[in-house]
Amino acid sequence: MNKRPGRIPSVADGDTAACQTGDFSEVLSGLRGATILGINPPAFDFTFFDFWSKPLGLLFILDALREQGNDIHLVDCIYEGATEPLSFGRVRVERTEVRKPPPFAHIPRRYHRFGMNEEAFLQRLRCLPKPDYILVTSGMTYWYEGVRWCIGHLREIFPSVPLLLGGVYARLCPAHAVRSGADMVQTEPLRLELNGPAMDLYDAPAYGVLMTSFGCPMACEYCASRRLSPSYTERSVGEVLRDAARQFALPGVHHAAFYDDALLINKERRFYPLCETLRTRFPHVQYHTPNGLHVHEIDRRCAEELKRTGFTTIRLSLESTDPGFQRRGSNKTTAEEFQFACAQLVEAGYDIRRVETYILAGLPGQSLRSVEESIRFVQRCGARARLAEYSPVPDTPMFEEVAARMPELRREPLLSNKSVFSTYVAGILAPEAMQSLKNLAGEKP
């Protein structure tokens, strides 16, 4: 049994100098017979919607650690804070209004913790066996308050247990993350033998999560996918089907969300064979694509494969009809390709009015008129525009461009919050102008 390969300095008393950063793959891969607790924190934000939100990276890691012979447990503050079911297996999440942090004090909007309340979280922790290691994941960089909230309570219940922080915030903001209270901050991709996500840790999951590839071959100036996954790696069809079989055998799972950034790349070799088997073996499952599909990959056959396999929620990634911003987005598509893709989806039987298309809003140098033209173009094609408000993501070219004018972004991740960055923080668009775009797109206030 190898529960602790080495001494881990503790920062439980606030000694941030003791926090280690780097790659802790060897620490985790050496664990045998340990009790390991995984934590998905709540989100502190102005808004939160469950677009099939699961901590997929943490679930892969917990499953790998279980395969090594460890006893694993999961507390997902988002899932366990559900208040009512929504469509396609999603949920509405409990929200508790909290005081706005100082950078948001001037913003006339309410701020909430989305997820489990404090009493429920502490009670949940008290019912668990004492872990040998705690793994805390992190999502958006500007959600770090949820990380600190969790770690503070974890220190109350398990004061001496080594705690490793990973995830997006840890990877993109390591200098800030060392002040989270964690003993270790994982700053590189974990090197573990991954099998699949441990979705069986949920008591009653209503949907599964699938991933056919890690990373993205594109290099958009506003996206950190290449920083988080330096190489684009495709999983075999067999691996994905194994994940599907495990999850679809769970009671009540009738939906699945694909988390890929580039689901349709090399579609003839991997996506089409996958679809053929999915619709044969799991005809009862509906599939959803919360991430935008690459428009230029959608031809007649692709649209038909999506429809026949049961893809119900289709989201497309157009982002802008402005050629300048298309170049900054890796020239993923053109207006003509988008029109063609819409026509193919209609021919395949989709109601194009229900197909949502991501349009970026609030980018540096982007005019109100540019966004309006992109929205109207999508609507002329019969589809529905969905605004994606810009958030400057560390380690991206566009972040560096913005941070050169706003150096405080490097010190305070909260300022990157997509709900307020372009309006109240950077002043790229007035709040009234952003609301006018949402009204034009038909979004509810």
Side-chain angles (χ1 to χ4, degrees):
M1 228 177 350
N2 186 8
K3 294 185 178 181
R4 296 192 181 186
R7 182 178 178 275
I8 304 297
S10 175
V11 298
D13 298 322
D15 181 12
T16 59
C19 181
Q20 297 182 358
T21 62
D23 181 8
F24 297 95
S25 299
E26 290 188 9
V27 173
L28 296 181
S29 63
L31 292 177
R32 301 290 187 277
T35 299
I36 299 170
L37 171 60
I39 301 286
N40 184 36
F44 282 64
D45 207 335
F46 296 97
T47 60
F48 177 85
F49 301 99
D50 174 24
F51 290 128
W52 299 279
S53 302
K54 287 288 184 291
L56 190 58
L58 177 62
L59 295 174
F60 268 103
I61 292 166
L62 290 176
D63 185 76
L65 292 172
R66 178 168 55 188
E67 289 293 311
Q68 293 173 194
N70 299 292
D71 179 30
I72 61 172
H73 302 267
L74 172 68
V75 177
D76 185 335
C77 293
I78 299 296
Y79 173 82
E80 297 184 45
T83 58
E84 62 178 298
L86 298 174
S87 60
F88 307 131
R90 300 172 301 127
V91 296
R92 193 181 307 280
V93 179
E94 177 181 354
R95 66 178 186 176
T96 305
E97 186 170 355
V98 296
R99 179 176 296 186
K100 286 177 288 191
F104 296 154
H106 67 292
I107 296 175
R109 297 181 61 179
R110 293 182 175 181
Y111 197 66
H112 297 89
R113 180 181 64 245
F114 292 89
M116 297 176 76
N117 61 56
E118 183 175 352
E119 181 180 353
F121 183 59
L122 289 173
Q123 181 61 30
R124 183 78 164 81
L125 295 181
R126 293 188 181 104
C127 293
L128 293 169
K130 181 181 178 181
D132 297 299
Y133 274 87
I134 300 173
L135 309 183
V136 178
T137 190
S138 59
M140 303 296 188
T141 58
Y142 49 81
W143 284 351
Y144 73 80
E145 291 173 293
V147 170
R148 292 185 175 184
W149 182 86
C150 275
I151 291 177
H153 290 311
L154 286 163
R155 293 300 190 194
E156 292 178 36
I157 308 300
F158 307 118
S160 61
V161 176
L163 192 152
L164 170 62
L165 173 63
V168 174
Y169 162 63
R171 295 281 305 284
L172 297 182
C173 301
H176 193 275
V178 297
R179 303 197 297 272
S180 65
D183 298 302
M184 302 167 281
V185 175
Q186 178 72 22
T187 58
E188 300 298 328
L190 273 171
R191 294 173 288 106
L192 294 175
E193 190 68 33
L194 301 180
N195 301 293
M199 285 293 292
D200 59 298
L201 294 178
Y202 293 97
D203 56 0
Y207 61 83
V209 289
L210 299 174
M211 203 154 187
T212 74
S213 61
F214 299 108
C216 181
M218 306 293 180
C220 300
E221 294 185 18
Y222 40 77
C223 178
S225 181
R226 284 208 170 181
R227 171 66 180 88
L228 298 171
S229 297
S231 61
Y232 172 66
T233 306
E234 297 177 354
R235 303 179 71 208
S236 71
V237 173
E239 288 178 299
V240 181
L241 288 172
R242 181 189 61 205
D243 292 352
R246 290 173 60 186
Q247 295 180 59
F248 299 162
L250 299 173
V253 175
H254 303 296
H255 299 273
F258 280 86
Y259 278 25
D260 294 65
D261 290 325
L263 179 63
L264 300 181
I265 297 297
N266 299 324
K267 56 184 181 290
E268 291 85 358
R269 189 179 74 243
R270 58 192 198 92
F271 184 65
Y272 293 164
L274 175 63
C275 285
E276 181 178 0
T277 306
L278 287 177
R279 59 179 174 260
T280 300
R281 293 179 57 185
F282 312 107
H284 64 290
V285 178
Q286 291 180 291
Y287 301 96
H288 309 274
T289 61
N291 294 335
L293 297 176
H294 287 163
V295 168
H296 71 275
E297 296 289 345
I298 300 178
D299 52 20
R300 176 63 60 83
R301 183 183 175 187
C302 183
E304 291 176 346
E305 292 282 350
L306 289 166
K307 185 65 175 177
R308 292 171 57 205
T309 306
F311 279 81
T312 303
T313 303
I314 299 291
R315 288 190 172 152
L316 305 178
S317 182
L318 175 61
E319 298 172 358
S320 178
T321 56
D322 184 319
F325 285 104
Q326 287 179 343
R327 284 192 295 273
R328 305 195 75 174
S330 299
N331 285 318
K332 288 193 291 292
T333 192
T334 64
E336 293 74 20
E337 288 175 333
F338 182 80
Q339 289 175 311
F340 178 77
C342 287
Q344 305 316 302
L345 291 169
V346 169
E347 286 294 320
Y350 282 101
D351 181 352
I352 198 65
R353 296 170 298 179
R354 299 177 64 86
V355 174
E356 295 186 344
T357 302
Y358 288 119
I359 297 295
L360 287 172
L363 277 76
Q366 187 182 39
S367 68
L368 178 66
R369 181 179 178 181
S370 171
V371 185
E372 289 174 337
E373 290 177 350
S374 297
I375 293 172
R376 290 193 173 99
F377 171 76
V378 169
Q379 293 172 339
R380 287 197 300 271
C381 293
R384 179 181 176 185
R386 172 177 283 275
L387 287 188
E389 297 179 58
Y390 172 66
S391 168
V393 182
D395 271 1
T396 64
M398 197 170 284
F399 177 90
E400 297 301 322
E401 176 185 315
V402 176
R405 300 192 299 271
M406 297 180 61
E408 59 269 29
L409 283 173
R410 301 186 189 280
R411 299 187 295 271
E412 180 50 85
L414 286 174
L415 297 175
S416 296
N417 187 303
K418 70 178 181 64
S419 294
V420 296
F421 171 76
S422 299
T423 50
Y424 293 100
V425 175
I428 296 170
L429 287 173
E432 298 78 14
M434 182 65 78
Q435 187 59 52
S436 73
L437 292 173
K438 294 179 180 180
N439 294 340
L440 179 61
E443 296 184 15
K444 296 180 180 179

